Amino acid sequence: MPFSRLADRVAAKWVIGWGCIFFGVATIFSGLASTFGYFLILRALVGIGEGTFYGASFGLSSQAIPEKYLTLGLAVINVGQAVGQILGTTLASMLVLQYHHAWGEPFVIVGIPTVLVGCWYLITRFKTATPRDATAIFGKIDRQTLFQPRLVGVYVMLFASIYGQITLLTWLPLFLTNQRHLTGQAVSLLTMIVPLLALPSALIFARLNDRYRQTQRLLGSLVCIAALSLVGIVLVKDARWLMVTLIIYGVTGKMAIDPLLLYTVKKYANQQQLATTFGVYNFFGMLGSILAPVITGWFMDMTGDMWPGFLVAALLLMVGLGCLTIGILNEQRQS
């Protein structure tokens, strides 16, 4: 959040550019670390550097993307992050596990283009759609707008959607192996279904929102279906029906919901503190990613089963949708 606020005070490209260079260099040195303690320190520095990206990036891009393609443009950026995660983990697995290269090579290979992207940001000129009001930027944060009910609803909704996604990412392979007794090849196939289907579906639903502007209805439908699919993962026993439920979640889950939430943030945020608003939004999402594996693991320790963790994830999706709906309706009554 501090870096997001800084992006509202200075040109966002400087925050993104120097941030990319910083965590790119830290990533390179992570691959050269000689001790585990040194490695942990460098990974912490990478995390600090990565904190420069989200708020500043979406604050800048949401101003530069034409209004008629806003949701689709935000979806492309969001999908880019997912593609990067997939390529990064694939690269590391191939180099280290398949071809037996040194464990640090993937860090160096990924870190170099990160530094180059940071340099590219520093030398590129960006045009923002909203003129900057120096008084508003250097003044106090508009907390009333930042925490208006409909935005708080969006924050809770993001927390819930990321909570559900991270629960699946961290615990689904173990759930399929231990409680559905599937083989390694079947587990790999079922685990890959969610991210592979999530990428095109996010772009499709984003384009639909740009065309019809029915964000609340589209969000409500996707969240309800995603919650039901999480429950279905627990209830179904047959591998074929399990694949169906995972396909449904991949199409309607977090990646499909994200661009609609980003669009809603841009729509209702104070345009003079866009980066700050996206930074707070991302803060709630990261809370979900931190808590999801821990809470699901706690349920597993207490009950010996993972199904309570999946049900909690589904319940949180409905709670998030309820908070978002109440927040929007409350603002509509007041206006």
Side-chain angles (χ1 to χ4, degrees):
M1 287 190 288
F3 285 120
S4 298
R5 182 58 179 162
L6 181 63
D8 280 326
R9 292 176 177 270
V10 300
K13 76 167 193 174
W14 299 107
V15 177
I16 300 171
W18 286 113
C20 280
I21 292 172
F22 178 84
F23 76 77
V25 170
T27 300
I28 293 171
F29 278 96
S30 296
L32 305 175
S34 56
T35 66
F36 186 60
Y38 181 40
F39 177 78
L40 290 180
I41 292 172
L42 286 165
R43 298 315 295 164
L45 292 176
V46 171
I48 292 172
E50 287 178 344
T52 63
F53 177 77
Y54 198 95
S57 173
F58 281 107
L60 179 64
S61 58
S62 64
Q63 290 180 307
I65 298 169
E67 183 68 23
K68 63 179 180 178
Y69 298 119
L70 180 57
T71 318
L72 180 61
L74 296 173
V76 169
I77 298 171
N78 210 47
V79 165
Q81 296 181 67
V83 171
Q85 291 175 356
I86 293 171
L87 293 179
T89 52
T90 303
L91 173 68
S93 299
M94 288 181 59
L95 285 179
V96 179
L97 299 179
Q98 186 174 348
Y99 296 107
H100 308 291
H101 286 231
W103 66 269
E105 281 192 24
F107 291 95
V108 177
I109 293 172
V110 171
I112 291 172
T114 305
V115 173
L116 294 177
V117 167
C119 295
W120 177 82
Y121 257 94
L122 295 179
I123 63 175
T124 302
R125 296 181 63 184
F126 293 93
K127 293 182 179 180
T128 56
T130 306
R132 289 176 173 268
D133 180 351
T135 304
I137 294 172
F138 288 97
K140 293 182 179 180
I141 296 175
D142 181 4
R143 290 183 175 83
Q144 184 175 357
T145 304
L146 191 62
F147 293 103
Q148 58 180 289
R150 53 194 169 191
L151 282 182
V152 171
V154 173
Y155 303 154
V156 177
M157 186 69 258
L158 178 69
F159 172 90
S161 68
I162 289 186
Y163 185 101
Q165 184 197 41
I166 297 299
T167 297
L168 273 186
L169 288 177
T170 53
W171 289 105
L172 181 62
L174 189 62
F175 176 80
L176 296 175
T177 303
N178 289 2
Q179 299 187 228
R180 292 296 178 264
H181 309 294
L182 299 177
T183 62
Q185 187 175 5
V187 170
S188 299
L189 174 63
L190 291 174
T191 304
M192 286 299 295
I193 284 175
V194 173
L196 287 177
L197 290 177
L199 302 183
S201 68
L203 299 177
I204 292 170
F205 288 121
R207 187 68 187 115
L208 286 174
N209 186 65
D210 281 332
R211 178 165 293 185
Y212 299 108
R213 303 296 185 189
Q214 297 291 326
T215 311
Q216 190 175 351
R217 291 182 180 179
L218 194 53
L219 266 173
S221 301
L222 291 174
V223 171
C224 290
I225 296 172
L228 288 174
S229 66
L230 284 174
V231 176
I233 291 170
V234 174
L235 296 180
V236 299
K237 307 292 184 182
D238 183 77
R240 288 169 296 182
W241 283 108
L242 189 56
M243 180 179 290
V244 171
T245 58
L246 287 170
I247 288 173
I248 293 172
Y249 181 81
V251 172
T252 61
K254 187 258 181 188
M255 288 296 297
I257 294 169
D258 252 4
L260 304 177
L261 296 178
L262 289 165
Y263 171 83
T264 307
V265 172
K266 171 62 169 65
K267 181 178 178 181
Y268 294 128
N270 181 334
Q271 300 303 297
Q272 299 296 338
Q273 54 181 36
L274 266 177
T276 302
T277 309
F278 280 116
V280 173
Y281 169 84
N282 187 51
F283 171 81
F284 280 88
M286 290 302 96
L287 281 181
S289 70
I290 293 167
L291 293 176
V294 177
I295 294 176
T296 307
W298 180 81
F299 276 119
M300 186 178 175
D301 289 339
M302 294 296 293
T303 65
D305 205 319
M306 275 177 272
W307 67 263
F310 287 97
L311 293 183
V312 167
L315 178 62
L316 281 175
L317 279 174
M318 299 310 298
V319 170
L321 180 60
C323 291
L324 178 59
T325 303
I326 292 171
I328 292 175
L329 291 176
N330 181 59
E331 291 289 340
Q332 288 175 348
R333 282 197 297 266
Q334 290 182 359
S335 59

